[in-house]
Amino acid sequence: MNSFKFLILTLLLLVLFAVSLMLGAVRIPISDVLGILSGTSDTNPVWHYIVTSVRLPQALTAMFAGAALSSSGLLLQTAFRNPLAGPSVFGINGGAGMGVAIVMLVMGGSVSIGSMSLGGFIAVLMASFMGAMCVTIIIFMLSNFLRGNVTLLIAGMMIGYLTSAVTTITSSFAVAEGVKSYIVWGMGSFIGVSMQRMPLFVILVSLGLTASVFMVKPLNALLLGEYYAENLGFNTKRLRNSILVITGVLTSVVTAFCGPVSFIGLAVPHISRLFIKTDNHRVLLPFTILFGAVIALVCNVICSVPVAGGMLPLNSVTPLIGAPVIIYITIKGMRE
């Protein structure tokens, strides 16, 4: 039964991927899209540029970003035994936003390292990655002192509030142009990864996803409690720290390239559980990764629909899917 569901999801993923290449301000027939991708079509050069340089990297980015964020959410929810745990709750997105705010609003969009100066996209990328990883390291250090999972979760939320406060204070002293650029980045988008940058993005996300797959057995042990996991020979503190590192890397990479994407990491694991009705991570993790890619492509298709003034921001679409799921899970948990 699960194999059939997995096949259906895979087919849905392929359909959504094709739709992502067709839809937009300029509608391109699927026959021309396939011809452009296969190199057998001598079609309009504008269409060729749109498909290969805009829509293809955008669709690939959505797939890998959705898979990374949903996997991170599942790992955190299992490790901390909290259905509301996620990358944004632990302040990782906030750390990335703080790093970008400092570069955009204080340093004029450039970073100087010794005699080397980095500007533009590279500076924003480095700032986002470093900000997110700094928060991850802080939580990693706190996990050595805070025993309770709920306590560490609360500490992560407080760190997120602190980074948000620093960002707000920073924006108060910035020029209007810098604030506008930061706001646009904060809305989230899958269009920031070009085909030249795609190999780096795919490699980093793939490494993180591979590491998460190796966590399946200890995650299943954690489902029965920390004492049970320790009786099976797992060091729960080391396991929790490993999960923090994996989720920190995955989230920081996605945030650096795509901005702070909301709700996917929080909601998709719950959607997967409702769909396959199991907590066995040997099944749940692959479904969550696949569902993350599907949901991200759905959001990408919705954002690609032309509207007055341009395209819909990504973070205006993700809550429409994620928020109802979280509300349902919360109400369901209160009734149980």
Side-chain angles (χ1 to χ4, degrees), residues 130-210:
M130 293 302 296
M133 288 309 299
C134 282
V135 171
T136 303
I137 291 171
I138 292 173
I139 297 176
F140 180 89
M141 294 172 63
L142 288 175
S143 68
N144 294 319
F145 302 99
L146 302 177
R147 294 181 177 273
N149 290 337
V150 176
T151 306
L152 186 61
L153 190 66
I154 294 173
M157 293 174 64
M158 294 304 104
I159 293 173
Y161 284 125
L162 287 173
T163 57
S164 178
V166 172
T167 301
T168 303
I169 294 172
T170 302
S171 62
S172 300
F173 295 94
V175 297
E177 184 178 349
V179 173
K180 181 180 178 180
S181 299
Y182 178 76
I183 291 175
V184 171
W185 177 85
M187 291 179 179
S189 175
F190 292 135
I191 63 175
V193 186
S194 64
M195 288 306 293
Q196 290 74 25
R197 298 165 182 158
M198 187 61 64
L200 175 62
F201 179 70
V202 170
I203 290 172
L204 292 174
V205 171
S206 297
L207 289 174
L209 291 177
T210 302

Side-chain angles (χ1 to χ4, degrees), residues 7 47 66 103 138 165 169 193 213 224 283 289 335:
L7 177 61
W47 286 7
V103 169
I138 292 173
I169 294 172
V193 186
V213 170
L224 300 175
V283 180
I289 292 173
R335 291 179 176 176

Side-chain angles (χ1 to χ4, degrees), residues 51-58 60 193-200:
V51 171
T52 59
S53 300
V54 179
R55 295 182 184 175
L56 179 59
Q58 186 175 347
L60 290 173
V193 186
S194 64
M195 288 306 293
Q196 290 74 25
R197 298 165 182 158
M198 187 61 64
L200 175 62

Side-chain angles (χ1 to χ4, degrees), residues 5 26-27 38 111 121 139 141 156 166 180 204 211 219 248 255-256 282-283 291 327:
K5 290 180 178 179
V26 177
R27 295 198 175 188
S38 63
V111 178
F121 174 80
I139 297 176
M141 294 172 63
V166 172
K180 181 180 178 180
L204 292 174
L219 286 172
T255 306
R282 293 185 185 277
V283 180
F291 247 122
I327 293 172

Side-chain angles (χ1 to χ4, degrees), residues 227-304:
Y227 292 114
Y228 182 84
E230 289 175 354
N231 287 334
L232 291 178
F234 295 106
N235 186 322
T236 55
K237 178 183 286 189
R238 186 181 303 168
L239 176 59
R240 188 168 60 177
N241 290 343
S242 298
I243 289 173
L244 281 173
V245 171
I246 293 171
T247 56
V249 170
L250 283 173
T251 306
S252 61
V253 168
V254 173
T255 306
F257 280 91
C258 306
V261 182
S262 63
F263 277 102
I264 290 181
L266 187 60
V268 170
H270 295 296
I271 297 175
S272 300
R273 291 188 186 95
L274 293 172
F275 186 66
I276 61 176
K277 302 184 185 307
T278 182
D279 285 323
N280 183 352
H281 285 74
R282 293 185 185 277
V283 180
L284 182 58
L285 182 59
F287 267 92
T288 300
I289 292 173
L290 185 57
F291 247 122
V294 168
I295 296 298
L297 278 175
V298 170
C299 295
N300 184 58
V301 169
I302 296 174
C303 290
S304 298

